[in-house]
Amino acid sequence: MLTDQYELTMLQAALRSGAAHRRCTFEVFARRLPQGRRFGVVAGTGRLLEGLETFRFRRNELDFLAERGIGDDDTLDFLSSYRFSGDISGYAEGEIYLPHSPVLQVSATFAEACLLETFVLSVLNHDSAVASAAARMVIAAGGAPESGGRPCVEMGSRRTHEFSATAAARAAGVVGFAATSNLEAGRSWGVPTLGTAAHAFTLLHDSEEDAFAAQVETFGPGTTLLVDTYDVEAAVRKAVEIAGSTLGAVRLDSGDLVAQAHEVRKLLDSLGNSATRIIVSSDLDEYAIAGLAAAPVDAYGVGTRLVTGSGAPTASMVYKLVQRQDSKGAEVPVEKASPNKASAGGKKQALRNLDADGRAAAEIISTDATPEHSGYSGRNLHVPLVVSGSVTPGTTGPEGVRAAAQRHRASVEELPAAAQRLSEGEPVIPTVFV
Amino acid sequence: MLTDQYELTMLQAALRSGAAHRRCTFEVFARRLPQGRRFGVVAGTGRLLEGLETFRFRRNELDFLAERGIGDDDTLDFLSSYRFSGDISGYAEGEIYLPHSPVLQVSATFAEACLLETFVLSVLNHDSAVASAAARMVIAAGGAPESGGRPCVEMGSRRTHEFSATAAARAAGVVGFAATSNLEAGRSWGVPTLGTAAHAFTLLHDSEEDAFAAQVETFGPGTTLLVDTYDVEAAVRKAVEIAGSTLGAVRLDSGDLVAQAHEVRKLLDSLGNSATRIIVSSDLDEYAIAGLAAAPVDAYGVGTRLVTGSGAPTASMVYKLVQRQDSKGAEVPVEKASPNKASAGGKKQALRNLDADGRAAAEIISTDATPEHSGYSGRNLHVPLVVSGSVTPGTTGPEGVRAAAQRHRASVEELPAAAQRLSEGEPVIPTVFV
């Protein structure tokens, strides 16, 4: 039922006209990147494939539709036995995308493929928006921890819909965030989770000392103490007094983080706590993280700006019919001619063209089955995700997230240096239509 | 599991320190409205209360936590029998809020109330952000249809997370949207649903005529035909030819909507189809809707900008401990002193102060149990939502949405005329702390 009603009305009318059984290819792409962004990141593919396996219309759903008069008997019959039996290929999860990159291709009868539109776009638009923003935060933090960057921790669950939150935590994991506060993301996709305390915990106790003592007694001195409920300097002194020299970390969640980080670092060092780390949070985005690069900070907690895509909460991807059978069974390209919303017909191939140094040079999009013949070569970006209704192993669950994280790292490393710039600019490589 | 890990670590440490059983009050509020907005709308309350009834930790969840080493035996024991048994009061769903309005108050032991933070904020932040944006779109459309405005239809499911989509459709229903494309919102909350066809349906057929004929044959001439796949004028002529004078509506989804609406209206009238309505969609927001006010348009389809809160995708509400028992059992106010994030201690009362004409004049917030004694009177904004763990009847399901829509209409009508302005400005009434 996570579906727009028009998917069902189109199905009904197409069953009636007979066109429902024409074999079709739909493609997912974004006409443009969010304002000034250099690249986008495909994310959500694994979630999409997990959802596909349970995309069914059961008794409850069919009863609701019948009650509302949505769909005639033929339509409800079709829905009751619906299982996607077609093929899906697309960019591997974690891959970079650019304007017009055909990130997903769904090939099936119109009836089977049309029904998936809403769900496919919901997943890819949300998760790719978050991943695309989060990838810039990881760049600002100096890269993923494996590449020597400072760890970023996702903690935005409280600022977005409860299920968006788990998907956002997953998307952040794909692009190199080290952990999340969201427990469900840990359970469903194996994302490392963490969390210690909010200001409420300090306020609950009769004094800050009581709160710190309770936390250290429970979790040991390696815990992270939140030191900005009252006076930061006094709190750091108390924290060190209570936890000793092995205090794990202190967290700053308000005020001028750059100045405070310097002061707290100096204070910690002077107290003999040079191994105690400093974690900062408080409305961080890629720019604030970059602004903290020279400050003595060990990890970033990122919330609101991550889950809302740092100004671009949707990836604006669309799902367009590009090819279908005609009345004689031949597959023909189709495209609409609406002003500002034109799209190119025909099933596409996509290559990441590389220069002699192995750097990405262009996104080659072609309706030619073998763009190599047009003089272009490179990395074929389409991988099989579903073959005759069966999901490719390794693409879902924790395994899918791990593979996506690996793909993402490799794809970012392949990009020209301009990809690392946070300032507004053009897409990092051009999209070339062959 | 739709919960931040720190809720559980705080619980564990508080169980250990003994403070977990102190009676507490947490309040939800937003420090400010999104940039330039005149008011906000509380939404999601019904969803929150529905979720509360299933907020449990079952075997699966407890096993996951134990495996990850999150929570000791006492914590897991507590969680295994967790059921919220406290009280929740707050602004009725659909009510207007302003900076610092205490929109929700949760009173229970720390252990019980702390666990709800993430879920409560996820729901209220998302749904209130969408409702606050959608309320402005309804204003731009001339008010809810009952008040003579042009109907707005929510069709943003494809641009946001699949479950955010259903919640967004519900939130739009609360503020006066006439319908949604989202089927699940229809099933769960009785929101009217609708939908006809996308461009793919036209492209699927050998000609636009074939597509229109299939749709009219299936749904009758009262259907809505999408006329901008190829040439709008030619499509309108075909539509009228096929459906006749009782053609329900045509939809325009691209290009210059104002100019096209005028042309299409003229054409329809000249063909004798003066009763055929014109529906427009395509990146509409409150400003685009206002810009179409003088155009001959009959309904608005709103997608992306609705589900992303029209620039403000989260309401930035926080959940703060404001009062708790001390070691002697007395309830004392608490507040933190962090720079830029200070909050006022003590459990609040809230009144909407009205002038002699019954217009809202100020938001009165007081820690005094009876602000009337301080010389202020008005409408008490807090209603009981949960009493000793039992959810107030009429607040959930389709009934809750209907009540919220009614409350919303009354609250908007009570506001000064400046509330109708879309331009940036100050909150429409001041927040007064007594």
Side-chain angles (χ1 to χ4, degrees), chain B residues 244-330:
Chain B
S245 62
T246 58
L247 171 62
V250 296
R251 178 157 77 96
L252 295 166
D253 185 45
S254 55
D256 178 345
L257 297 175
V258 174
Q260 283 192 90
H262 280 287
E263 284 161 23
V264 169
R265 182 73 271 157
K266 220 167 115 183
L267 179 58
L268 283 170
D269 291 349
S270 77
L271 296 170
N273 277 47
S274 55
T276 299
R277 298 181 313 137
I278 298 176
I279 300 173
V280 296
S281 52
S282 185
D283 290 334
L284 296 185
D285 63 8
E286 59 269 49
Y287 305 107
I289 293 171
L292 284 157
V297 163
D298 300 283
Y300 303 103
V302 190
T304 307
R305 297 289 291 174
L306 176 94
V307 297
T308 57
S310 198
T314 177
S316 298
M317 290 179 183
V318 293
Y319 184 88
K320 293 294 168 191
L321 180 65
V322 295
Q323 189 159 304
R324 60 149 171 90
Q325 284 182 313
D326 64 15
S327 54
K328 295 181 186 99

Side-chain angles (χ1 to χ4, degrees), chain A residues 342-358:
Chain A
S343 52
K347 189 169 176 175
K348 319 285 187 309
Q349 302 294 316
L351 289 180
R352 180 105 355 118
N353 181 235
L354 307 174
D355 68 14
D357 299 329

Side-chain angles (χ1 to χ4, degrees), chain A residues 4 164 181 193 228 324 338, chain B residues 4-5 164 181 203 228 324 338:
Chain A
D4 282 327
S164 303
S181 61
T193 61
D228 68 342
R324 59 150 172 88
S338 314
Chain B
D4 283 326
Q5 183 165 325
S164 302
S181 62
L203 294 171
D228 68 342
R324 60 149 171 90
S338 314

